[in-house]
Amino acid sequence: MNEEQLIKDIKTPQEFIQLHFPEQEQALQCIECSTFKYNTGEGFLEIFSLDDLQAFPNHFFGSQTRKKFYMMVLITQGRMEEMIGHKEYVFEANQMYFVAENQLHLIERWSEDLKGVMCLFDSDYFLLCLKHQIKLNSFPFFQVGQQPYLNLSEKETSMMEHLFWKLQNEKAQKKTFNDDLLVRMFLNIILLEAERIYNHKDSKTPFVLSRKEQLVAKFQLLVNQKAIEVKQVSDFATLLHVHPHYLNDVVKEVTSESASAYIHKVLIEEAKSRLIQTNYTVSQIAMDLNFTEESYFGRFFKKHTGVTPLHYRKKHKQH
């Protein structure tokens, strides 16, 4: 990483296409569609074959992105090397990995025989289905500090391939609102099956959040989206229309940590990601994260990690 690397915020699938396929936007094919289709309803969901991405490596490698939507990737052949947050991963056949909304990540390289599926969707599209029963941020692989991938058996890989095929097939054929609900149901099924495998739980285990768990999930989602701009528990409580003391008590009851501790965790993850994935100075990072002074940022970082930002960069950054 010798050159200054800019973080690119991607808000829509259109921007995803424009960044990675600027010369040939129409060249990318959906798995079942003849052309790339933008979703015209509220929210969006798009699916790509990893085979189709092979023709455009120069537009993926070395491009640090922060997507305003979620990504999950199923690999059936080959391997991908990707940095998610401040950690580097090698993903291979029979693995599935996940990138949460607003998470900084970087695809470093992939093998020429890469095959599989990439699915992009935003929270609006997901939450229109089972809106009150399920929340995206409750899935462990989308949570800060949790392992963002799962290992699959051959049987589980085949099952996931079939579910993605059903998801894309229903999406390509939808004509009515009810058809769109069916697409959302298959998206939920994929995530629920992934969570079941992740947690090694029986598939009959009910997935229903209590009122308190729903509040915590909303809080965590807001923190993931706004921690750089908003850092006070009271401000998040205002956004959630609850009293700050109540919010803190509920977060602590459900997660065993305070609301402020979660905010700090997200900020530290973001700082670590920028220290490793960019060449920004510590002063620039402090300013970008809205710390009033570099010295305050340094004390905050050392308090939570035990080392200074520069020491962390020197120890962990890949060259």
Side-chain angles (χ1 to χ4, degrees):
M1 295 185 184
N2 296 321
E3 299 179 358
E4 181 88 354
Q5 291 181 317
L6 298 177
I7 299 170
K8 301 176 180 65
D9 288 317
I10 304 177
K11 299 178 181 178
T12 66
Q14 290 93 329
E15 293 179 2
F16 177 85
I17 293 295
Q18 289 164 5
L19 171 64
H20 295 303
F21 315 103
E23 302 96 344
Q24 223 170 345
E25 184 169 333
Q26 295 302 319
L28 186 64
Q29 304 291 311
C30 292
I31 295 175
E32 294 293 330
C33 307
S34 59
T35 58
F36 181 85
K37 294 183 179 180
Y38 299 119
N39 187 66
T40 56
E42 185 175 354
F44 66 82
L45 176 143
E46 297 297 344
I47 305 176
F48 309 95
S49 166
L50 294 185
D51 301 43
D52 295 325
L53 308 186
Q54 289 278 34
F56 306 97
N58 294 334
H59 298 311
F60 278 89
F61 300 158
S63 178
Q64 294 166 309
T65 58
R66 185 196 315 283
K67 297 178 177 64
K68 302 300 180 182
F69 45 84
Y70 295 80
M71 182 171 82
M72 53 183 175
V73 178
L74 171 67
I75 299 178
T76 58
Q77 183 176 307
R79 56 187 277 154
M80 293 181 72
E81 295 180 28
E82 179 155 356
M83 184 167 284
I84 302 174
H86 59 91
K87 295 182 179 179
E88 191 168 15
Y89 298 92
V90 177
F91 302 116
E92 299 181 316
N94 299 323
Q95 285 190 312
M96 191 170 175
Y97 75 90
F98 308 81
V99 181
E101 178 185 45
N102 286 327
Q103 194 165 29
L104 190 64
H105 68 105
L106 168 71
I107 295 178
E108 296 185 316
R109 59 187 64 85
W110 59 50
S111 62
E112 293 182 358
D113 61 341
L114 182 66
K115 292 184 183 297
V117 183
M118 176 184 289
C119 178
L120 313 175
F121 64 93
D122 68 353
S123 57
D124 286 339
Y125 191 87
F126 175 84
L127 293 176
L128 286 176
C129 180
L130 305 179
K131 184 173 182 179
H132 302 295
Q133 289 79 21
I134 235 171
K135 297 297 178 182
L136 269 173
N137 207 57
S138 65
F139 289 113
F141 35 75
F142 285 138
Q143 293 178 6
V144 174
Q146 297 298 310
Q147 178 177 289
Y149 66 92
L150 52 93
N151 299 314
L152 305 172
S153 65
E154 293 285 350
K155 184 177 180 180
E156 289 166 340
T157 299
S158 297
M159 174 192 68
M160 285 296 184
E161 274 192 288
H162 180 70
L163 287 174
F164 275 114
W165 176 83
K166 286 289 293 181
L167 176 69
Q168 179 58 40
N169 192 49
E170 293 294 340
K171 177 179 181 295
Q173 297 184 45
K174 68 179 183 181
K175 296 179 181 179
T176 68
F177 179 73
N178 285 336
D179 292 337
D180 206 42
L181 287 178
L182 189 57
V183 177
R184 290 181 169 90
M185 287 298 294
F186 274 110
L187 174 61
N188 275 270
I189 291 170
I190 290 171
L191 288 166
L192 287 169
E193 286 288 357
E195 191 210 25
R196 180 184 61 81
I197 296 169
Y198 191 99
N199 291 331
H200 302 287
K201 290 182 179 179
D202 187 88
S203 59
K204 295 180 181 179
T205 301
F207 188 83
V208 180
L209 298 180
S210 68
R211 286 179 176 269
K212 289 183 177 180
E213 289 171 329
Q214 288 185 38
L215 176 61
V216 172
K218 289 178 181 178
F219 165 72
Q220 292 178 330
L221 189 59
L222 273 176
V223 173
N224 292 346
Q225 294 172 340
K226 299 179 179 293
I228 294 177
E229 297 82 20
V230 181
K231 294 182 172 60
Q232 300 301 317
V233 175
S234 58
D235 293 327
F236 284 107
T238 298
L239 292 170
L240 293 166
H241 308 292
V242 297
H243 193 279
H245 292 319
Y246 177 73
L247 176 61
N248 193 65
D249 289 344
V250 171
V251 172
K252 196 163 188 178
E253 178 184 336
V254 173
T255 69
S256 299
E257 65 180 8
S258 67
S260 59
Y262 187 78
I263 296 170
H264 295 163
K265 180 190 292 185
V266 171
L267 283 170
I268 288 296
E269 289 290 312
E270 180 66 24
K272 287 179 177 179
S273 300
R274 291 177 183 242
L275 286 166
I276 291 178
Q277 292 200 38
T278 76
N279 290 325
Y280 296 166
T281 65
V282 172
S283 178
Q284 285 176 299
I285 293 174
M287 182 171 61
D288 288 345
L289 296 183
N290 287 326
F291 283 85
T292 53
E293 296 179 1
E294 179 184 343
S295 58
Y296 173 50
F297 169 68
R299 291 195 298 273
F300 172 82
F301 190 88
K302 187 172 183 179
K303 175 182 177 181
H304 291 279
T305 65
V307 295
T308 66
L310 283 177
H311 181 78
Y312 181 87
R313 168 174 277 172
K314 183 178 181 180
K315 182 178 180 180
H316 294 281
K317 188 169 182 179
Q318 300 293 318
H319 298 283

